[in-house]
Amino acid sequence: SASGVSVALVLMLIGVIGARIGLWMFDLAVSQLVQETVVEEERGVVSGVINAMTSLMDMLHYVLVIAAPRPEQFNILTFISVAMVTIGALLYASYVHKVRGHLFHFSSCFHWLKRKFGRGGSGRGFLEVNQKEEATCLVITAGVEFAGEDKGVAV
């Protein structure tokens, strides 16, 4: 570019920043799950196991980088990283399905969307309509309205 800053460098920095934000959100979610689902007397043991597993995976990461240090081997490390993240996502999805019996609250989202945008909709505001809806519906529809103000987004 004209200022001497590479587009690839900017995109990489945006990706790293986004990944850090995702990691922090994941860490907060794990902390909340531990606090909500583990009996208080057992939280220390569970947290210790979580920290031990984290250290083990860090060590595995360092061993893999030592075993494949050349730039042409980076794609192997990338594949392993993507595979591990996918396994983690599948394990979490399995946990959610086991606890709730389903992964998404599509029925409540479709019900809310039908009431809001379908025939005979109440036209009530976003927060008023969704007080009793599931959190997933709030996440899916968060871009549609904000605090009751229509943004003109068609769903």
Side-chain angles (χ1 to χ4, degrees), residues 31-51:
S31 297
Q32 181 177 355
L33 277 173
V34 169
Q35 290 175 359
E36 290 179 353
T37 59
V38 178
V39 179
E40 187 174 352
E41 292 79 24
E42 297 175 359
R43 283 188 198 148
V45 174
V46 171
S47 294
V49 170
I50 291 171
N51 287 335

Side-chain angles (χ1 to χ4, degrees), residues 58-69:
D58 276 343
M59 185 178 68
L60 178 62
H61 164 252
Y62 299 139
V63 168
L64 287 172
V65 170
I66 290 170

Side-chain angles (χ1 to χ4, degrees), residues 120-142:
S122 66
R124 292 180 287 168
F126 176 79
L127 297 175
E128 183 183 353
V129 170
N130 275 317
Q131 287 178 353
K132 296 180 183 175
E133 298 293 335
E134 299 293 339
T136 304
C137 191
L138 292 174
V139 171
I140 290 173
T141 58

Side-chain angles (χ1 to χ4, degrees), residues 20-149:
R20 289 287 110 186
I21 292 171
L23 180 64
W24 293 329
M25 289 178 5
F26 176 78
D27 189 42
L28 288 173
V30 168
S31 297
Q32 181 177 355
L33 277 173
V34 169
Q35 290 175 359
E36 290 179 353
T37 59
V38 178
V39 179
E40 187 174 352
E41 292 79 24
E42 297 175 359
R43 283 188 198 148
V45 174
V46 171
S47 294
V49 170
I50 291 171
N51 287 335
M53 293 298 293
T54 301
S55 295
L56 178 68
M57 292 298 129
D58 276 343
M59 185 178 68
L60 178 62
H61 164 252
Y62 299 139
V63 168
L64 287 172
V65 170
I66 290 170
R70 295 191 304 271
E72 57 271 5
Q73 296 171 322
F74 185 73
N75 59 347
I76 297 168
L77 299 175
T78 303
F79 176 76
I80 292 170
S81 177
V82 169
M84 292 297 168
V85 170
T86 302
I87 289 170
L90 291 173
L91 288 172
Y92 181 71
S94 172
Y95 165 77
V96 168
H97 189 270
K98 178 182 168 187
V99 170
R100 296 192 318 200
H102 57 279
L103 292 179
F104 301 103
H105 299 283
F106 287 126
S107 60
S108 58
C109 287
F110 291 139
H111 178 68
W112 179 81
L113 289 171
K114 183 178 177 184
R115 284 192 325 202
K116 186 66 180 168
F117 298 107
R119 283 185 282 172
S122 66
R124 292 180 287 168
F126 176 79
L127 297 175
E128 183 183 353
V129 170
N130 275 317
Q131 287 178 353
K132 296 180 183 175
E133 298 293 335
E134 299 293 339
T136 304
C137 191
L138 292 174
V139 171
I140 290 173
T141 58
V144 177
E145 293 181 322
F146 179 76
E149 298 175 348

